[in-house]
C-alpha cells in the first residue's frame, strides 16, 4: 500500500513514498545503496551524494523516461518532488487565465533563470506538458552539462535550449533576444548572501540529517557558488530580476520566482509595486513540513492577456 503525501500538488507523480523495488528495476545501479532504515522502511542514505544522484537518475528514468542524466561532481542535485511542484503550480497559473485549461505543447515556452547543470525544470516541464524551454546560467560548465543532457535525450533535443549568461550582473538582459516572447519564466534564486552563509546553511542541513562526520561538511545535494549565493542574497537577486522584467514588459506573460524565506515576501512586493505590474500573485506550495512559495507578476492588461492566449495557446 502506498501512502500519499497529501501536501504535494495533485498532479505530482511523487505523492507516494519512493517505491524502491520499482526504481531499482528502472536503474539497477541503485540497488547497493538501498537498505532498511531505523523505521524498517527501504530508503537510501540521504547524506551520501552518490546515493542521492542515483536516486535522481532512477526517478527521472522511471517517471519521465529520461534515460541519460548526469551532472558534474559538486553541482546541485535537486530534490525532484519539490521541483515538480513548481512546474505543476505554474501550469495552474497558466490555466487560471485560460478558462481553467492548462496550455500544452511546444508553442508554450518557458525560460528557466539559473538552469544549473541538472536541467531539472525543463525536463519535468517538457515531459509533463510538452513545453519548450530556454534556460540561462552564468556558469559555462553548468550550461555545457545542461546542453549535453538535452542533446543526448531525444525527447529533449528539440525542446530545451540552454544559453550562457555572460554577464553575472544581468538576469534577462543578454539572454532574451529582441522580440522573443515567453509564456512564463521560473527561477530558484540563490538563497544566501555570502559563501560563509551558504556554508553555515549546508552544515545545518547535514546536522539535521544526523550525519556530521568530523569537521568536514559533505554536501549531499552539492552546489556551486552561483547556485547557492550571490551578493545581496535572495532579495537582492529577485529585486534585480524585477527591475529587468519591467524592461522586457510585454515579451513575457508571467514572470515568476521561488521565494525561500517568507520574511522576504514584503520586500519583494515593495520592489514589484515600484515597477507597476498589472497583477501580482503569491502561490504557496506545501512540501512536507516546509511551506514554500513563488511570486508571479504580469505586465499584460486583461485585453492583452486574452489576445496572447488566443494567438499562442
Amino acid at each position: 500500500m502506498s501512502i500519499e503525501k497529501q501536501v504535494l500538488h495533485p498532479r505530482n507523480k511523487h505523492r507516494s513514498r519512493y517505491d524502491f523495488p520499482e526504481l531499482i528495476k528502472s536503474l539497477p545501479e541503485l540497488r547497493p545503496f538501498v537498505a532498511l532504515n531505523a523505521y524498517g522502511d527501504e530508503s537510501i542514505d540521504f547524506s551520501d551524494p552518490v546515493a542521492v544522484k542515483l536516486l535522481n537518475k532512477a526517478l527521472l528514468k522511471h517517471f519521465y523516461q529520461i534515460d541519460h542524466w548526469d551532472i558534474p561532481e559538486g553541482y546541485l542535485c535537486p530534490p525532484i518532488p519539490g521541483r515538480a511542484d513548481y512546474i505543476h503550480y505554474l501550469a495552474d497559473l497558466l490555466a487560471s487565465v485560460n478558462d481553467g485549461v492548462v496550455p500544452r505543447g511546444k508553442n508554450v515556452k518557458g525560460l528557466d533563470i539559473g538552469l544549473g547543470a541538472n536541467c531539472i525544470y525543463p525536463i519535468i516541464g517538457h515531459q509533463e506538458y510538452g513545453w519548450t524551454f530556454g534556460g540561462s546560467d552564468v556558469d559555462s560548465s553548468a550550461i555545457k552539462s545542461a546542453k549535453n543532457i538535452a542533446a543526448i535525450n531525444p525527447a529533449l533535443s528539440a525542446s530545451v535550449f540552454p544559453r550562457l549568461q555572460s554577464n553575472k550582473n544581468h538576469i534577462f538582459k543578454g539572454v532574451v533576444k529582441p522580440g522573443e516572447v515567453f509564456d512564463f519564466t521560473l527561477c530558484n534564486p540563490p538563497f544566501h548572501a555570502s559563501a560563509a552563509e551558504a556554508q553555515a546553511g549546508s552544515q545545518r542541513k547535514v546536522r539535521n540529517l544526523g550525519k556530521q562526520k568530523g569537521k568536514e561538511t559533505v554536501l549531499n545535494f552539492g552546489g556551486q557558488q552561483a547556485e547557492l549565493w550571490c551578493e545581496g542574497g535572495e532579495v537582492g537577486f529577485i529585486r534585480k530580476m524585477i527591475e529587468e522584467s519591467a524592461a522586457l514588459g510585454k515579451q513575457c506573460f508571467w514572470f515568476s520566482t521561488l521565494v525561500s524565506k517568507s520574511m522576504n515576501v514584503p520586500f519583494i512586493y515593495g520592489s514589484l509595486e515600484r515597477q507597476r505590474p498589472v497583477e501580482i500573485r503569491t502561490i504557496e506550495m506545501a512540501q512536507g513540513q516546509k511551506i514554500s512559495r513563488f511570486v508571479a507578476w504580469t505586465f499584460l492588461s486583461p485585453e492583452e492577456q486574452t489576445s496572447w492566449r488566443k494567438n499562442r495557446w
Side-chain angles (χ1 to χ4, degrees):
M1 183 180 73
S2 64
I3 299 174
E4 284 203 337
K5 302 171 186 173
Q6 297 294 345
V7 291
L8 292 176
H9 189 281
R11 291 194 300 277
N12 194 322
K13 287 185 163 82
H14 311 288
R15 288 168 63 86
S16 300
R17 287 181 179 173
Y18 294 136
D19 186 337
F20 282 101
E22 287 299 311
L23 292 175
I24 289 167
K25 281 183 189 176
S26 295
L27 192 78
E29 304 116 274
L30 181 63
R31 185 186 302 276
F33 296 88
V34 176
L36 294 181
N37 63 17
Y39 304 99
D41 299 319
E42 284 189 312
S43 188
I44 63 165
D45 179 353
F46 282 94
S47 71
D48 180 350
V50 176
V52 170
K53 186 160 81 167
L54 285 169
L55 173 61
N56 270 19
K57 289 181 77 166
L59 291 170
L60 290 170
K61 190 167 186 178
H62 185 75
F63 289 103
Y64 302 104
Q65 296 74 56
I66 298 301
D67 291 328
H68 309 287
W69 182 86
D70 202 357
I71 54 173
E73 187 176 349
Y75 279 78
L76 192 65
C77 191
I80 289 173
R83 299 300 195 263
D85 249 30
Y86 190 2
I87 291 291
H88 291 303
Y89 278 103
L90 271 174
D92 288 349
L93 178 65
L94 299 182
S96 73
V97 290
N98 193 44
D99 298 326
V101 178
V102 175
R104 296 172 180 264
K106 63 183 180 181
N107 285 346
V108 181
K109 190 175 181 183
L111 177 63
D112 181 0
I113 299 296
L115 174 67
N118 56 70
C119 205
I120 289 294
Y121 287 124
I123 288 171
I124 298 172
H126 181 264
Q127 295 301 87
E128 290 283 49
Y129 298 108
W131 298 338
T132 300
F133 278 84
S136 68
D137 206 288
V138 297
D139 185 329
S140 59
S141 295
I143 289 294
K144 182 180 178 182
S145 172
K147 281 183 174 180
N148 183 60
I149 290 168
I152 203 169
N153 289 284
L156 305 176
S157 59
S159 301
V160 179
F161 305 99
R163 304 172 183 178
L164 180 67
Q165 170 55 276
S166 56
N167 188 333
K168 67 178 182 179
N169 295 315
H170 291 313
I171 310 293
F172 299 113
K173 190 176 178 181
V175 167
V176 178
K177 300 165 186 173
E180 187 176 28
V181 295
F182 290 93
D183 299 285
F184 62 89
T185 70
L186 70 161
C187 181
N188 186 7
F191 290 2
H192 305 293
S194 69
E197 188 182 310
Q199 178 71 3
S202 299
Q203 288 171 337
R204 278 195 303 275
K205 182 190 287 186
V206 171
R207 281 197 301 272
N208 290 340
L209 286 167
K211 295 289 184 180
Q212 181 72 53
K213 297 173 181 175
K215 295 182 179 179
E216 184 180 353
T217 299
V218 178
L219 274 175
N220 63 325
F221 293 106
Q224 298 293 298
Q225 173 185 325
E227 296 176 307
L228 299 177
W229 72 272
C230 69
E231 189 174 343
E234 180 174 76
V235 170
F237 188 93
I238 294 173
R239 279 177 172 164
K240 194 182 297 180
M241 181 188 299
I242 290 165
E243 289 167 7
E244 290 195 19
S245 75
L248 280 181
K250 302 180 190 298
Q251 284 180 252
C252 179
F253 196 131
W254 286 108
F255 297 92
S256 82
T257 180
L258 286 171
V259 182
S260 70
K261 301 170 184 174
S262 59
M263 66 181 182
N264 289 341
V265 173
F267 299 104
I268 289 161
Y269 265 67
S271 294
L272 278 166
E273 285 158 5
R274 285 192 286 277
Q275 304 301 332
R276 304 181 70 178
V278 172
E279 187 178 357
I280 308 170
R281 296 193 198 178
T282 298
I283 290 91
E284 287 203 341
M285 305 176 291
Q287 294 157 11
Q289 296 178 332
K290 177 186 173 187
I291 301 291
S292 63
R293 70 216 47 84
F294 69 88
V295 174
W297 63 98
T298 183
F299 294 99
L300 299 183
S301 68
E303 295 76 20
E304 288 167 331
Q305 292 182 24
T306 298
S307 174
W308 183 292
R309 70 179 191 175
K310 284 182 177 177
N311 291 328
R312 288 185 55 80
W313 303 346

